[in-house]
Amino acid sequence: MDLTPDPLIDELRTVLRAALARVPVRFEVHGAPVTDGASGPARAMLDQLGAADFERPCSAGGLDLGLTAGVLVSEELGRAACGNPYRADAMAADVGFPTGAALAGLEALPIGTGVIATPRAGGWELTGAVTVDDSEPRTLLVAVRAGGHPTLVAVPPGAPGRSLETGCWPPVVQLASTPIAETDVVARLDDSPTGPLARARLRQAAYLLGIADGATLITVRHTGVRRQFDTTLRDLQAVSFSLARALVALRATRALVYRGAWLVDAGHDQVGTAPVVTLAMAAETARDVVRVCMQNCGAWSMTAELGLHRYFRLAAAESNRYGEPAALWRLAGAARLDSARRAVTDDDERGLVMAVSQPR
Amino acid sequence: MRFGFTEDQQRFRTDVRQALRSAKIRTAVADVTATDCVEPDARPLYCLLGDLGLLAVHWPAEFGGADRPLTDAAIVAEELVRAGVPDTLHVNTIQIVGQFLLMAGSAEQKRRHLPALARGERFASVLYTEPDAGSDLGSLRTVAEPDGDGYRITGTKVLNLKTRFANLGLCAARTTPEAGKYQGISLFLIDLGAPGVTVTVMPGISDEQFHRVDLDSVPVSADDLLGLRDQGWALLNEALAVERTGLDHHLKSECWLQAALEALIQRVPDAPPDAYLEQIGRWDGALAADEVLVWEVLTGLAADRIDPVVAAIAKYHSSELAQSIALWAADIPSPEQRANRTRAAVILDSAYREAPGLTLSAGTSEVMLKIITTAFDSMGQERC
């Protein structure tokens, strides 16, 4: 391993951070904390930077910076507590679909049936209510289980039975016997370690990492100037140690996010469950770290004063958006146990005791 | 950034693994596997490993090494543990004392000590902690009084490991007691067979026993002073940062999780309950992150970059993780497995008793958190 930071990625981070600092944010304490999707204010900035070209291969006219660049963009969006107009286009690009669609229903992928696909002649009927990441009436790429397989299907704006509920946040799309044809199937979302779903999970993990990181930064600054008991909050060990633990969690999560992206970019045979594990850890890090930040900043965190409330709201919505963490952990745990079981069997067949440890 | 190993590193790892599979090594490993709380003498095994040239591959050839990079030494350390070699002698002798000699020792000291350590003929122990100086090492009371061209050292060191098997002690002592808490401290290499040295076992709950070392006017020469007189505090801190790669703890996590899975598979051959799967997934994720944090320190050290915060994060994460796995896994072996003393049950029982020490030795978790808080002022400059 050589974990010396890549100067190009460092430079890209600096550019993104500077650009995101100019993107207007929503400070209202009620209603949606961010504007998601293609109509969000971060979209213009990303377009200006040509972010759509970052991951795109050279053969398709892109910069071929790999998923590493994609997770970097996602992390910085989260860190700035911006909505995420990047993920839908990036996933659409991965499955060869035009840009401008919104993603829906990914929360039901590891388990559950957010949208039920009932077979009918020439296709399916979709029924269910799932989270969507845009409040504008766009074409939706909806994750469903069709024929037992996780599948991404396109549902156009005027489709029968489709309605968008924007009074809640995140917005919800309701599908009532919405018909789709086999030609509306955009992609199978298999568990390929380097496929579209794996890539999307890593981008979402990075977004969650950024949310936790941004909240921590606000908290470290605030507790460094806010005085109580004749000292700054940060000089109180109960505060500083909880923030130090948050830093450790952030470093561990960042390690997984960039390792996962590197493994995918390198086409490494060790990708395995890395995207699942990374997403689960990032989801829990975001929830836990933001909670610690809210506590350390006191009641000010619940007002618009610090901007921390946006991170708090985002952490709740985004940590489940691609699946419940516990379900993701169970997937990873089952895979790890299978691997151990195979090792036992192999060793038994060779007449050996089980190795004390298997190299990762 | 590269999160995988180069082809050269992979070849090297394969060669090391192959060497450790020899019948001679496997027999010697079996002989030193702890059973029923008895701490075996691993020195004969280390002598064999020294013959294979595996103990200090990153040291210069003139000092018994193979001129390989530090990262290759970490690969060897990984493979030794995976082959079942008890690692404390290696950690103390090569990774801490030897590495410190390499960094701060004179050419003569390196020539005198390093080759025998690399051959597995002599071993070293760390003598920092005292009855009233644990995490607060600045409170140490051991003194080194000038005596002719050398010194005489008097004091008591406690809670050190493997000392009864060691020949050499890296000892912190006050050379100018009136200079202040963090001044006037020097580091010495003590011959543990010298007159005035008494080593006694301090029974503890883990397989590896603690020791008490009483130093009664122990003579050391000026050549045994490591670094400059009275400048030991800075060296000590540097040495502690070098110790804190987290690699040893990471390898324990790996080993203990594997033993837990082995026990679980034997106990519940079909699918275990979801709660187990969920927790196994968490450990798997934490281990993957742990490996990256550890290697971040190692690659920094290989490039002569010692970042105390990065090291503290790795040490904190790896030791807390290993301890958590050990505590979780303690309940996994069934009564039958415990009664039959299955390999996994024995490992996990030993792990549980060793676990409390992980977040205490080489800097407690609280000390690590304190170091990490120094990063607050530079936050916002993260690199991936």
Side-chain angles (χ1 to χ4, degrees):
Chain A
M1 290 192 204
D2 178 1
L3 303 182
T4 311
D6 182 340
L8 179 62
I9 292 296
D10 276 351
E11 183 62 28
L12 191 53
R13 186 187 292 280
T14 305
V15 170
L16 278 163
R17 202 166 279 186
L20 279 164
R22 296 192 295 272
V23 173
V25 295
R26 299 177 70 150
F27 266 92
E28 301 90 331
V29 290
H30 292 132
V34 296
T35 307
D36 270 322
S39 55
R43 177 61 186 260
M45 180 278 290
L46 292 179
D47 288 347
Q48 203 173 359
L49 292 178
D53 289 336
F54 291 173
E55 291 187 59
R56 190 179 298 157
C58 289
S59 55
L63 297 174
D64 209 6
L65 297 177
L67 182 59
T68 300
V71 297
L72 177 63
V73 172
S74 307
E75 182 188 353
E76 291 301 318
L77 285 168
R79 189 175 181 276
C82 283
N84 193 334
Y86 182 77
R87 60 186 163 206
D89 283 352
M91 188 165 190
D94 284 342
V95 297
F97 198 80
T99 59
L103 293 172
L106 285 152
E107 70 269 28
L109 272 192
I111 53 164
T113 49
V115 172
I116 295 170
T118 308
R120 66 175 190 105
W124 294 270
E125 277 185 359
L126 306 182
T127 299
V130 287
T131 303
V132 62
D133 65 1
D134 200 332
S135 52
E136 299 290 322
R138 303 177 183 283
T139 295
L140 300 180
L141 295 178
V142 185
V144 300
R145 285 189 183 275
H149 302 288
T151 304
L152 204 59
V153 299
V155 179
R162 174 187 147 160
S163 61
L164 190 61
E165 177 54 65
T166 58
C168 59
W169 185 83
V172 168
V173 64
Q174 303 205 51
L175 303 170
S177 302
T178 301
I180 58 161
E182 285 179 1
T183 52
D184 293 322
V185 171
V186 175
R188 293 283 189 204
L189 294 177
D190 59 23
D191 280 330
S192 158
T194 56
L197 183 57
R199 297 170 69 88
R201 282 174 167 158
L202 285 166
R203 289 188 202 100
Q204 180 68 4
Y207 186 53
L208 287 157
L209 166 66
I211 290 168
D213 194 34
T216 307
L217 189 60
I218 289 174
T219 308
V220 165
R221 285 177 181 158
H222 177 69
T223 55
V225 294
R226 167 86 168 156
R227 295 182 70 83
Q228 294 285 277
F229 304 108
D230 299 323
T231 186
T232 65
L233 290 178
R234 222 166 68 190
D235 284 337
L236 300 170
Q237 199 174 69
V239 172
S240 65
F241 275 20
S242 69
L243 289 175
R245 287 190 192 93
L247 284 196
V248 174
L250 286 171
R251 289 296 285 260
T253 306
R254 182 172 285 111
L256 279 193
V257 166
Y258 284 90
R259 170 182 174 270
W262 183 87
L263 289 171
V264 169
D265 285 338
H268 210 286
D269 56 7
Q270 283 186 355
V271 177
T273 56
V276 171
V277 160
T278 304
L279 177 58
M281 182 181 281
E284 293 189 341
T285 296
R287 279 187 198 165
D288 296 346
V289 167
V290 173
R291 177 180 172 274
V292 165
C293 291
M294 296 290 284
Q295 177 70 18
N296 283 327
C297 288
W300 290 111
S301 67
M302 300 172 71
T303 73
E305 188 76 16
L306 303 175
L308 201 53
H309 63 296
R310 292 184 294 129
Y311 294 88
F312 185 63
R313 301 281 310 284
L314 275 174
E318 298 300 338
S319 59
N320 271 311
R321 193 185 283 271
Y322 280 40
E324 183 194 344
L328 296 166
W329 285 130
R330 286 195 293 275
L331 285 179
R336 180 73 177 82
L337 198 62
D338 278 350
S339 155
R341 194 174 276 122
R342 280 197 302 276
V344 171
T345 308
D346 291 349
D347 287 341
D348 283 349
E349 283 172 1
R350 288 203 304 268
L352 301 172
V353 292
M354 184 175 181
V356 169
S357 177
Q358 301 298 317
R360 296 184 63 77
Chain B
M1 298 182 97
R2 191 184 63 247
F3 288 85
F5 293 98
T6 64
E7 282 184 20
D8 182 52
Q9 287 172 323
Q10 285 169 338
R11 263 196 306 274
F12 179 64
R13 186 186 292 281
T14 304
D15 292 344
V16 171
R17 203 173 287 176
Q18 195 64 38
L20 294 174
R21 279 194 188 135
S22 75
K24 207 172 177 181
I25 296 289
R26 287 167 67 128
T27 304
V29 167
D31 287 344
V32 298
T33 301
T35 50
D36 292 327
C37 309
V38 176
E39 181 182 15
D41 180 0
R43 287 177 295 183
L45 167 62
Y46 271 77
C47 207
L48 290 177
L49 296 171
D51 286 345
L52 291 173
L54 286 178
L55 293 178
V57 295
H58 61 304
W59 290 0
E62 64 174 312
F63 302 134
D67 287 318
R68 297 193 71 95
L70 178 77
T71 42
D72 280 2
I75 289 172
V76 173
E78 289 181 341
E79 294 306 320
L80 288 177
V81 172
R82 287 168 182 162
V85 175
D87 68 342
T88 308
L89 275 180
H90 193 251
V91 171
N92 284 358
T93 302
I94 305 293
Q95 297 177 35
I96 299 178
V97 178
Q99 189 63 28
F100 191 56
L101 257 167
L102 205 60
M103 285 166 50
S106 66
E108 189 278 327
Q109 286 169 331
K110 291 176 191 173
R111 271 195 301 274
R112 182 152 46 108
H113 295 294
L114 292 180
L117 301 184
R119 286 195 299 269
E121 292 171 359
R122 285 171 63 80
F123 298 89
S125 180
V126 181
L127 305 180
Y128 294 160
T129 304
E130 298 183 3
D132 293 315
S135 293
D136 181 16
L137 268 184
S139 296
L140 65 89
R141 292 180 184 169
T142 296
V143 292
E145 294 174 302
D147 179 41
D149 290 340
Y151 299 85
R152 283 192 176 270
I153 298 181
T154 301
T156 300
K157 299 292 182 178
V158 293
L159 300 174
N160 33 77
L161 296 174
K162 299 290 181 194
T163 316
R164 70 184 188 280
F165 302 121
N167 315 91
L168 195 64
L170 173 60
C171 176
R174 290 195 178 279
T175 33
T176 308
E178 66 282 7
K181 187 167 182 175
Y182 302 111
Q183 285 82 41
I185 294 172
S186 302
L187 295 171
F188 294 91
L189 293 165
I190 293 184
D191 177 357
L192 292 174
V197 177
T198 307
V199 179
T200 49
V201 169
M202 299 172 67
I205 59 171
S206 63
D207 288 342
E208 288 188 320
Q209 297 301 293
F210 292 124
H211 298 83
R212 172 190 173 105
V213 180
D214 288 298
L215 305 166
D216 182 9
S217 197
V218 177
V220 293
S221 74
D223 292 340
D224 295 320
L225 174 66
L226 203 49
L228 296 174
R229 178 186 159 137
D230 289 348
Q231 303 300 311
W233 185 252
L235 279 178
L236 205 56
N237 280 298
E238 200 174 330
L240 285 169
V242 170
E243 272 183 50
R244 291 169 186 155
T245 63
L247 180 62
D248 48 344
H249 297 118
H250 173 72
L251 294 170
K252 286 183 198 303
S253 292
E254 216 182 59
C255 169
W256 294 345
L257 178 59
Q258 190 67 20
L261 297 183
E262 181 182 331
L264 195 59
I265 289 165
Q266 287 168 351
R267 207 184 92 181
V268 193
D270 300 325
D274 278 355
Y276 277 121
L277 290 182
E278 189 176 324
Q279 190 55 61
I280 292 166
R282 280 176 209 279
W283 297 138
D284 196 41
L287 263 171
D290 201 50
E291 184 181 33
V292 177
L293 296 177
V294 165
W295 275 87
E296 189 177 3
V297 181
L298 290 168
T299 51
L301 286 176
D304 284 331
R305 286 193 314 266
I306 298 175
D307 185 331
V309 172
V310 171
I313 288 172
K315 201 278 174 181
Y316 179 86
H317 191 272
S318 60
S319 59
E320 292 281 335
L321 174 62
Q323 185 179 83
S324 302
I325 289 175
L327 301 190
W328 168 79
D331 289 338
I332 288 184
S334 65
E336 187 181 7
Q337 288 172 321
R338 292 202 303 275
N340 291 337
R341 286 179 167 69
T342 64
R343 204 183 65 90
V346 169
I347 288 175
L348 295 176
D349 174 58
S350 173
Y352 182 78
R353 288 179 287 104
E354 182 181 350
L358 303 182
T359 52
L360 298 171
S361 62
T364 64
S365 284
E366 289 73 17
V367 171
M368 296 305 103
L369 290 174
K370 185 75 184 160
I371 294 170
I372 294 166
T373 62
T374 63
F376 288 159
D377 290 331
S378 59
M379 271 194 71
Q381 318 296 320
E382 305 82 355
R383 303 199 290 180
C384 56

